[in-house]
Amino acid sequence: MTLRENFPDLGARILSSVALAALGLTCLIIGGGAFAAIVSAATGIVAWESARMHLGEGGRRIPLLTAAAAGAGLLLILEFDSPLPGVFAAAAGLLLCAAGRSPLTVISMVAATTAGLAGLAILREQSGLLPAIFVVACVIAADIGGYFFGRFFGGPKLWPRVSPGKTWSGTGGGWLLAGCVGAAFWSAGLSKAHAVPSALLVAACAQAGDLAESAVKRRAGVKDGSKLIPGHGGLMDRCDGLVGAGCLALALIIAGQTGILGFG
């Protein structure tokens, strides 16, 4: 099988990934309002995608309102250094504007996205740039490893009822590449030695976010959140791993245990 047959969307996927990574990394380095703005925009887009999937025609009328609710939530996050006001603001906005079927699935998606991405924003502001870059790098490595190892080696499916395309080989490849990120940080003297197992923990949480999002899509009967990003589907399909890892970061922040990541 040729490279083109094995990776039919590779060109579009690489170009989209580079553009998204450049934007995200720039805002992450700047921090503050710039990073909050991109998190707010991402949350609003995920709200729109989820509404379209689960609220039918009613969902088509609410993209601007959900984006506004997400933006208000992010302003509250910056003000209080906590994701909870943002979660409530986004959920309240959806309750007010959703129509058609029950909006509970949409609300849960927006709440999880807001909390996860807010966890990254708060980690950046409270612990500095390096831990935030470490988490994001581990998520990207796990995604790349999962994609290439899964396509090359195939084999038994991880959880076919939820995500038919994911394999155990892809899972192992994602964890391996994430572990290499942890080893690279340690070797460069940027982190402590336990950054290596911490990288595996981040990768596991990223995969949990990916599987959760896959389950939501399966329930809605769609393959992608939208067609917004060439080669990737929707923004929801790109944020799922970050949301899972961000929820881990948020839990560590609340517990006062961010040192588990291998920094500080």
Side-chain angles (χ1 to χ4, degrees), residues 32 170 182 202 215 224 238:
V202 172
D224 298 315
R238 288 298 85 216

Side-chain angles (χ1 to χ4, degrees), residues 1 28 32 41 46 49 57 86 97 113 135 144 146-147 151 156 161 165 168 170 183 193 202 220 225 232 248 257:
M1 184 175 289
L28 187 63
V46 168
E49 291 176 340
E57 289 300 319
C97 64
T113 302
V135 170
I144 292 173
Y147 178 75
R151 292 292 182 94
R161 288 183 59 188
W168 282 104
V202 172
H232 291 275
L248 168 66
Q257 297 296 325

Side-chain angles (χ1 to χ4, degrees), residues 26-251:
T26 299
C27 292
L28 187 63
I29 291 172
I30 296 172
F35 191 51
I38 195 172
V39 170
S40 177
T43 306
I45 293 171
V46 168
W48 170 67
E49 291 176 340
S50 186
R52 289 176 71 250
M53 285 194 297
H54 295 281
L55 300 179
E57 289 300 319
R60 299 180 186 278
R61 298 196 294 268
I62 67 172
L64 292 178
L65 293 175
T66 51
L74 263 295
L75 289 176
L76 289 172
I77 287 169
L78 282 180
E79 182 68 24
F80 294 104
D81 276 347
S82 168
L84 294 180
V87 171
F88 291 138
L94 283 169
L95 279 172
L96 290 172
C97 64
R101 287 178 286 171
S102 171
L104 292 179
T105 302
V106 182
I107 292 171
S108 65
M109 282 295 297
V110 175
T113 302
T114 304
L117 297 183
L120 291 176
I122 297 171
L123 180 68
R124 165 68 179 90
E125 294 305 311
Q126 292 188 0
S127 300
L129 178 61
L130 205 56
I133 288 181
F134 172 76
V135 170
V136 173
C138 288
V139 173
I140 292 173
D143 185 58
I144 292 173
Y147 178 75
F148 283 100
F149 275 71
R151 292 292 182 94
F152 268 123
F153 298 107
K157 303 296 184 180
L158 176 63
W159 196 351
R161 288 183 59 188
V162 172
S163 184
K166 290 182 176 60
T167 61
W168 282 104
S169 62
T171 299
W175 286 29
L176 176 63
L177 215 59
C180 290
V181 169
F185 271 76
W186 174 42
S187 298
L190 300 175
S191 69
K192 298 177 181 177
H194 64 271
V196 178
S198 294
L200 302 181
L201 177 61
V202 172
C205 290
Q207 187 174 63
D210 192 347
L211 288 171
E213 192 255 353
S214 294
V216 169
K217 290 190 297 183
R218 293 278 289 179
R219 182 177 180 182
V222 299
K223 181 179 182 296
D224 298 315
S226 70
K227 301 297 183 184
L228 191 64
I229 306 173
H232 291 275
L235 189 65
M236 184 187 299
D237 304 290
R238 288 298 85 216
C239 282
D240 49 14
L242 283 175
V243 168
C247 286
L248 168 66
L250 179 62

Side-chain angles (χ1 to χ4, degrees), residues 16-26 140:
S16 299
S17 296
V18 170
L20 288 172
L23 175 62
L25 183 60
T26 299
I140 292 173

